[in-house]
Amino acid sequence: MTTTAPRRHLADGPVWERRFRAPRHTLPAWAKSAPDRCVFVSDLSGIAQVHAWDRAAGTLRRVTDRPSGTQQCAVEASGEAVWWFDDGAGDEYGRWMRQPFTGGPDTPAVPSAGLYWPSGLAVGLDGHALLGCSTEDGAEVHLVLPGGAARRLYRHDEPAYAVDLSRSLDLAVIAHSERGDLWDLGVRVLTTDDGATVADLADEEGGGLEAVGFSPVRGDARLLLQHQRDDRWEPVVFDPRTGERTELRLGLPGDVSVQWFQDARSLLVVHDHEARSTLHRYDLDSGRLERIGTPPGVIAHARTRPGGDAWLLWSSSARPPEFRGLLEDPRLPLPDAPPPPAAEARDLWVDGPGGRVHALLNTPAGPGPYPAVFLLHGGPDEQDEDAFDPAVAAWTDHGFAVVRVNYRGSTGYGREWTEALRRRVGLTELEDVAAVRQWTVDHGVADPARLVVAGWSWGGYLTLLALGTQPGEWALGLAGAPVADCAAAHHGAMEEIKALDRSLFGGSPDEVPERYRESSPLTYVDAVRAPVLILAGANDARCPVAQVRDYAERLARRGVAHGLHVHDGGHSVTDVDERVAMFRRQLEFARAHLPQAAS
């Protein structure tokens, strides 16, 4: 199978559409024993599919051709085969498939595992892998042997995740939520011969704990962890055989992600703070933290390579994503057709009820006040960043200011900020949004009669909740893949989402029904006055479509202007044509229902 050209030429259509249609790709993953053999996901053909890239041969081959798209892939350590996840029509439930790297038939990678929601995959040396599977019956982690046979190392009713295999293949590390809190995971090191526990780790000081992975050097069993101290993430090097634990102090505010360089003598550090990233190298012997120069912007993903190199995906609000290397130019054999640039975002700092709130602002040319779209991010534990976003640029092109609020619950501002929404879900975030909204009105940025609240996933949920709890403040709502009824969505969602709900609300809907009712947009639907467009996926396993239909029916009975568009996919939209069509629907809905500017 060969790579096909994009569905539309980038020279066609308006500038905003060309940004949406510019091919995107994930950061390539490389085979541990054959680093020139790589895999990644790209929507070059118009729908996200897996591609195999042989750097030595200079060839690129499309591995999958699925109408619903393919979003997860891996490459065996030998480079002989590609793994890709085969779910239904975007419902995230399926199994890993295996295809020879140079092409051939697809076969189940682990025939005995059945069907499941994936919960981690770590490809090890010598044909081994660590596979996490989640079903309604609980979570399991399997050691996959050469040839596809597997043996179970772990099982529990609560979610768990496969993290890594040691290079000597004698140890495995998993993350688990046996204590019932998906935001406070434990880490367990197991033997691969019988699943016996070697080390059981939890953050006794009440912060967070994350397992990163074993040393990439064969025979070196050290494990890299991250824990939170003084509201910051810091690395830990732990030897599960001896129990020796070395805590490192980077002293960087916000969030960091760390990984081994391939010689295991230093760490690559990506520091995310206040919507931007910096890159660093930490030398384990000297304790020196060295800044690696990258332009202001965001590093979406980074991966170390042999020889001290690293690959990363970088962008800024103005500049589209770039695939970079520290030591060499790793150019992909893709069409060199970057999307048109966009405008830079500016920072806003606004006093809110829980502390200073950071927001990003983009404005069109000319004087304000402007109609404004408050574009709320998903997660909730994500953040809006100074990264390239076609939707932000498109709204700005059409004369709208775009405001992105990193409300409480966002990452990048410390653990206390991220976890402040617990037990008062949704309402806490909207207090911060309201503070920023008022600032933009008071300072002549936003027209108070033409305020749009919009978002996808958690942002879609907040959109519906805002329309009901702040009905006099919003002129329009645009909700993508939202939760409309917190209890009904919980009962219909995949198991990981149910566990997240229990962590955020402090229990299930049966245990704390009032918290779900208080945070549910359906509770306030009779107060909604503004027109609202809802976009949803028929096969969404995270925000099931049935509860969205019920909400739309309640709007219809009250005669509230609304639209409901249900596409054929799941929670994420992998089809470029559909993404373009969705934005066009939102723009047309806004034009039809927003009041005209006051003369």
Side-chain angles (χ1 to χ4, degrees):
M1 189 180 298
T2 57
T3 302
T4 59
R7 289 186 175 184
R8 303 278 175 85
H9 295 294
L10 290 180
D12 297 339
V15 169
W16 72 263
E17 184 173 336
R18 287 156 50 196
R19 293 195 192 97
F20 275 95
R21 293 193 180 281
R24 304 184 302 176
H25 66 84
T26 61
L27 187 67
W30 52 274
K32 291 183 172 71
S33 300
D36 279 339
R37 289 197 163 187
C38 308
V39 296
F40 61 92
V41 174
S42 174
D43 59 10
L44 175 64
S45 64
I47 301 177
Q49 305 291 355
V50 177
H51 291 72
W53 173 34
D54 190 327
R55 297 185 72 213
T59 59
L60 181 67
R61 183 182 68 85
R62 197 174 75 217
V63 174
T64 60
D65 187 18
R66 304 175 65 237
S68 60
T70 314
Q71 300 187 70
Q72 297 189 59
C73 64
V75 58
E76 291 183 359
S78 65
E80 292 300 312
V82 178
W83 286 34
W84 58 273
F85 194 76
D86 182 14
D87 60 353
D91 64 0
E92 302 181 60
Y93 194 75
R95 60 182 176 178
W96 285 98
M97 301 296 288
R98 181 181 187 274
Q99 183 183 126
F101 188 88
T102 56
D106 293 313
T107 57
V110 191
S112 62
L115 300 179
Y116 46 84
W117 290 291
S119 55
L121 173 69
V123 176
L125 300 178
D126 305 333
H128 293 70
L130 193 67
L131 174 70
C133 307
S134 175
T135 70
E136 292 181 352
D137 296 324
E140 297 182 352
V141 178
H142 299 263
L143 177 68
V144 183
L145 304 172
R151 63 170 176 262
R152 191 174 74 186
L153 299 181
Y154 175 88
R155 189 207 169 277
H156 199 273
D157 291 342
E158 295 291 340
Y161 306 91
V163 178
D164 200 16
L165 282 170
S166 67
R167 296 306 185 267
S168 300
L169 301 175
D170 57 338
L171 298 176
V173 60
I174 66 168
H176 66 83
S177 58
E178 292 180 8
R179 292 168 294 180
D181 190 345
L182 204 62
W183 276 17
D184 189 12
L185 296 174
V187 172
R188 188 165 296 161
V189 180
L190 309 170
T191 61
T192 54
D193 55 358
D194 59 3
T197 297
V198 176
D200 210 0
L201 306 173
D203 195 329
E204 298 177 355
E205 297 188 24
L209 183 68
E210 293 181 358
V212 177
F214 289 105
S215 162
V217 176
R218 194 189 286 262
D220 181 359
R222 290 179 300 164
L223 176 64
L224 183 60
L225 307 165
Q226 293 187 160
H227 68 176
Q228 285 182 311
R229 293 291 178 268
D230 302 325
D231 209 30
R232 298 176 180 179
W233 283 101
E234 302 283 10
V236 178
V237 177
F238 174 70
D239 190 327
R241 293 297 191 188
T242 66
E244 181 181 359
R245 180 183 179 115
T246 304
E247 298 190 4
L248 311 176
R249 287 283 184 170
L250 304 181
L252 297 172
D255 294 320
V256 299
S257 60
V258 299
Q259 61 182 283
W260 300 97
F261 272 98
Q262 293 301 300
D263 61 2
R265 299 177 62 182
S266 57
L267 305 179
L268 182 70
V269 180
V270 178
H271 174 221
D272 292 313
H273 183 50
E274 297 179 353
R276 291 170 181 85
S277 305
T278 55
L279 193 65
H280 308 259
R281 182 194 301 267
Y282 181 87
D283 185 272
L284 290 169
D285 290 331
S286 67
R288 180 185 177 190
L289 183 68
E290 176 188 3
R291 174 80 177 265
I292 300 173
T294 55
V298 173
I299 299 167
H301 198 184
R303 181 173 285 121
T304 62
R305 294 267 300 170
D309 200 4
W311 286 349
L312 57 133
L313 282 177
W314 173 93
S315 75
S316 71
S317 294
R319 292 170 59 182
E322 298 177 12
F323 177 32
R324 296 173 168 225
L326 296 185
L327 302 180
E328 62 176 348
D329 183 0
R331 291 178 63 85
L332 280 167
L334 293 174
D336 188 14
E344 293 280 3
R346 58 180 274 209
D347 295 284
L348 300 180
W349 288 95
V350 177
D351 289 333
R356 295 184 74 210
V357 184
H358 185 210
L360 297 173
L361 172 66
N362 290 76
T363 55
Y370 315 98
V373 177
F374 281 70
L375 198 57
L376 308 183
H377 69 71
D381 53 334
E382 296 177 5
Q383 62 174 312
D384 275 313
E385 300 176 305
D386 182 25
F388 193 78
D389 188 333
V392 172
W395 283 115
T396 308
D397 286 350
H398 287 92
F400 289 79
V402 179
V403 186
R404 293 172 287 166
V405 182
N406 280 325
Y407 49 74
R408 279 170 288 172
S410 304
T411 53
Y413 305 86
R415 179 183 177 89
E416 182 178 349
W417 189 262
T418 300
E419 296 206 349
L421 57 80
R422 287 192 191 233
R423 311 296 192 270
R424 197 167 175 271
V425 175
L427 303 171
T428 298
E429 301 96 289
L430 290 180
E431 289 179 347
D432 296 339
V433 174
V436 177
R437 181 195 65 226
Q438 191 62 48
W439 187 98
T440 62
V441 171
D442 291 345
H443 288 77
V445 174
D447 181 345
R450 295 188 294 163
L451 298 179
V452 180
V453 59
W456 192 271
S457 189
W458 197 271
Y461 156 66
L462 292 178
T463 294
L464 297 185
L465 189 62
L467 294 175
T469 60
Q470 303 169 353
E473 305 297 337
W474 303 104
L476 192 80
L478 304 169
V483 166
D485 181 339
C486 292
H490 174 92
H491 290 305
M494 60 195 292
E495 292 304 306
E496 183 178 356
I497 299 301
K498 292 179 180 178
L500 176 61
D501 287 345
R502 293 192 296 269
S503 298
L504 293 177
F505 287 93
S508 70
D510 294 333
E511 295 167 327
V512 288
E514 285 305 307
R515 290 179 185 167
Y516 283 79
R517 187 199 65 79
E518 184 184 25
S519 295
S520 178
L522 189 64
T523 301
Y524 311 98
V525 67
D526 289 340
V528 174
R529 304 200 301 262
V532 55
L533 174 65
I534 303 174
L535 308 168
N539 301 300
D540 193 335
R542 298 172 181 265
C543 302
V545 70
Q547 46 95 35
V548 175
R549 294 186 190 276
D550 291 343
Y551 182 90
E553 289 176 4
R554 288 280 295 271
L555 293 176
R557 289 201 294 269
R558 292 186 51 243
V560 176
H562 71 284
L564 174 61
H565 171 74
V566 180
H567 62 88
D568 293 334
H571 192 69
S572 300
V573 179
T574 63
D575 188 313
V576 176
D577 283 345
E578 183 63 29
R579 285 201 298 268
V580 171
M582 281 185 174
F583 181 81
R584 187 173 284 115
R585 286 188 191 96
Q586 293 179 82
L587 180 63
E588 291 172 353
F589 192 85
R591 284 172 168 167
H593 294 283
L594 270 184
Q596 298 297 313
S599 57

